[in-house]
Amino acid sequence: MEQISFYMAQGIQFFNPGFSGTKDGALRWIVDNQLAPSPLGRAAFAEGSLKTAARIGARQYIVIAAGYDTFACRQPAWANKLQIFELDHPATSSDKQARLTAVTDALPKNLHFVPLDLTRDNIAEKLSACAFFDKSCISFCSMLGLSYYLAKEDFLQIIEQLADVIPNGSSIVFDY
């Protein structure tokens, strides 16, 4: 971590040629102005889109490659009617669950973890195996911070598998 911080701070003149300040100040500027805006912006866009989808009938939220996304734990009141499915690699899903249970005894009742390998497992099969998933319910799907790491074939496979398991009228948001 120290090496990453060091090299990021060293790059301040590239990002902000007139910067003068400490190494910590340089690192803070880079994080606040170069790193954080993209993931925060895409998350805000996705959550705004989810809110609209829920208002017009979506009852399930499928978070593809959920990682350490916090939406289910900080969900606003309008989201408590949604069933939230977090799809992620088994190791990541397990680690997240362990971290959450270390800090709280009460995970949201509408949160469901679906461990899977996106490039090996079938999304439709894994979701269908979850007792709370309903193939007939309009769903909103998000896939943030992932598409640019996937081969074109893997990305298309994910979209096709989703199309097999969610009804018409459902939607997906992703960045690329």
Side-chain angles (χ1 to χ4, degrees), residues 7-170:
Y7 286 114
M8 285 176 57
Q10 290 298 311
I12 188 65
Q13 292 304 316
F14 175 80
F15 294 112
N16 185 352
F19 179 84
S20 64
T22 65
K23 175 187 151 219
D24 287 344
L27 186 58
R28 172 60 38 214
W29 190 94
I30 289 172
V31 168
D32 289 350
N33 294 281
Q34 296 299 129
L35 298 179
S38 293
L40 293 175
R42 71 183 182 215
F45 177 81
E47 288 182 25
S49 299
L50 171 62
K51 184 175 184 179
T52 299
R55 202 171 33 241
I56 61 174
R59 295 293 167 253
Q60 299 180 136
Y61 179 28
I62 302 168
V63 187
I64 303 158
Y68 296 97
D69 184 90
T70 61
F71 179 80
C73 294
R74 59 178 173 75
Q75 60 183 293
W78 58 262
N80 63 16
K81 294 180 184 128
L82 297 171
Q83 293 300 315
I84 302 170
F85 301 90
E86 291 195 355
L87 284 58
D88 214 330
H89 191 275
T92 305
S93 183
S94 178
D95 184 59
K96 180 177 184 176
Q97 290 176 65
R99 288 171 183 254
L100 287 172
T101 55
V103 296
T104 184
D105 292 329
L107 291 176
K109 294 190 184 319
N110 62 338
L111 171 59
H112 314 286
F113 295 98
V114 181
L116 67 101
D117 183 325
L118 286 168
T119 61
R120 293 193 175 128
D121 296 325
N122 184 292
I123 292 172
E125 290 174 8
K126 291 287 188 169
L127 275 172
S128 295
C130 182
F132 294 93
F133 183 75
D134 184 344
K135 288 177 77 167
S136 67
C137 283
I138 300 294
S139 299
F140 180 85
C141 309
S142 70
M143 185 168 61
L144 305 178
L146 177 67
S147 64
Y148 28 82
Y149 296 109
L150 295 171
K152 181 180 177 181
E153 297 77 23
D154 291 333
F155 177 78
L156 291 173
Q157 181 178 323
I158 290 169
I159 300 300
E160 289 169 359
Q161 290 174 6
L162 281 171
D164 287 344
V165 76
I166 58 177
N168 288 340
S170 297

